[in-house]
Amino acid sequence: MAETLAPLSEAEIEAELKARVHAPEVVLRRLDERGAGRAEVYQDTYYDTPDGMLDAKDQELRVRTVHGVDGTRSVLTYKGAEVDEASGSKPEHETRVEDAAEVHVILNGLGYVPVIRFEKQCRNYAFEARGRQMLATLVRVPELDGTFLELETPATESDLTAALGEVRAVLAELGIGAESLTRELYTDAVRARRTG
């Protein structure tokens, strides 16, 4: 008798907004007032099938290795198609992996190919605001101009609108207005820069 797998639980969604930061020193000072930041360098590798099936379905498969003061860790992340067009928020499933090199071998063995690799220089701040756990990340991508701020909080699809409202409110407290928000993906921006 074949075993029936239970359905996945309601996906956690990364309710996230990203903005270009025009006054990084001001935002950095306001974040420092909320708690201690930690500097980390992310090395991201995005995978797809040779025919681009994941991209066509607005899905992402990524291996990230994080180098920080506490050592190095790696995570495997799958992001589903966006559930909110305005923000680009997506369901996300992530797990820590013991050996990133082996994960790369496994993904290649399953037919996935690396489509882009790049580095992000980050300063992360975890804090509570408006009754939610928030993660703010100041980002510099060496290949791109400018500084970005990502602000996210976990949500479910049923409370995504409320969660994004709280994220917008905290961004405003940090001095980031709606005019600075961007949906541009680092992968697209890096790819465009590399191809001229």
Side-chain angles (χ1 to χ4, degrees):
M1 185 167 165
E3 180 181 343
T4 303
L5 297 177
L8 294 173
S9 60
E10 185 177 13
E12 183 171 284
I13 296 169
E14 183 181 77
E16 177 182 346
L17 293 172
K18 181 168 77 172
R20 286 192 167 271
V21 178
H22 304 290
E25 61 289 340
V26 173
V27 173
L28 182 62
R29 187 175 65 248
R30 290 178 179 169
L31 285 169
D32 282 335
E33 291 169 358
R34 292 180 180 263
R38 65 182 191 281
E40 295 179 322
V41 175
Y42 296 178
Q43 293 176 319
D44 289 350
T45 303
Y46 286 81
Y47 282 87
D48 204 339
T49 59
D51 61 357
M53 183 185 71
L54 294 179
D55 186 52
K57 293 180 177 179
D58 190 33
Q59 299 171 334
E60 299 174 36
L61 182 60
R62 178 186 70 208
V63 177
R64 169 174 285 168
T65 298
V66 181
H67 304 279
V69 295
D70 298 329
T72 298
R73 67 186 187 280
S74 296
V75 291
L76 175 66
T77 304
Y78 163 75
K79 293 186 182 186
E82 71 178 32
V83 293
D84 180 75
E85 187 177 348
S87 67
S89 294
K90 296 181 166 198
E92 178 175 319
H93 301 274
E94 187 168 84
T95 189
R96 191 167 179 162
V97 296
E98 188 68 29
D99 188 333
E102 285 299 308
V103 172
H104 290 294
V105 171
I106 291 166
L107 292 175
N108 279 300
L110 291 171
Y112 294 100
V113 294
V115 292
I116 193 163
R117 291 183 177 101
F118 60 92
E119 180 179 289
K120 292 168 64 177
Q121 298 167 352
C122 302
R123 188 162 184 84
N124 292 299
Y125 293 83
F127 55 89
E128 187 174 320
R130 301 178 169 270
R132 293 183 178 271
Q133 292 302 313
M134 301 265 180
L135 177 65
T137 305
L138 272 174
V139 178
R140 295 241 339 120
V141 177
E143 295 179 67
L144 303 178
D145 296 327
T147 300
F148 299 87
L149 177 65
E150 302 169 12
L151 184 63
E152 66 184 71
T153 190
T156 60
E157 194 160 358
S158 58
D159 95 315
L160 180 59
T161 300
L164 287 169
E166 302 294 0
V167 169
R168 282 186 185 88
V170 173
L171 283 172
E173 293 168 7
L174 295 171
I176 304 291
E179 72 285 353
S180 298
L181 296 179
T182 180
R183 290 267 332 268
E184 184 178 28
L185 301 174
Y186 299 118
T187 50
D188 292 344
V190 170
R191 190 177 290 115
R193 178 61 61 96
R194 289 178 183 174
T195 58

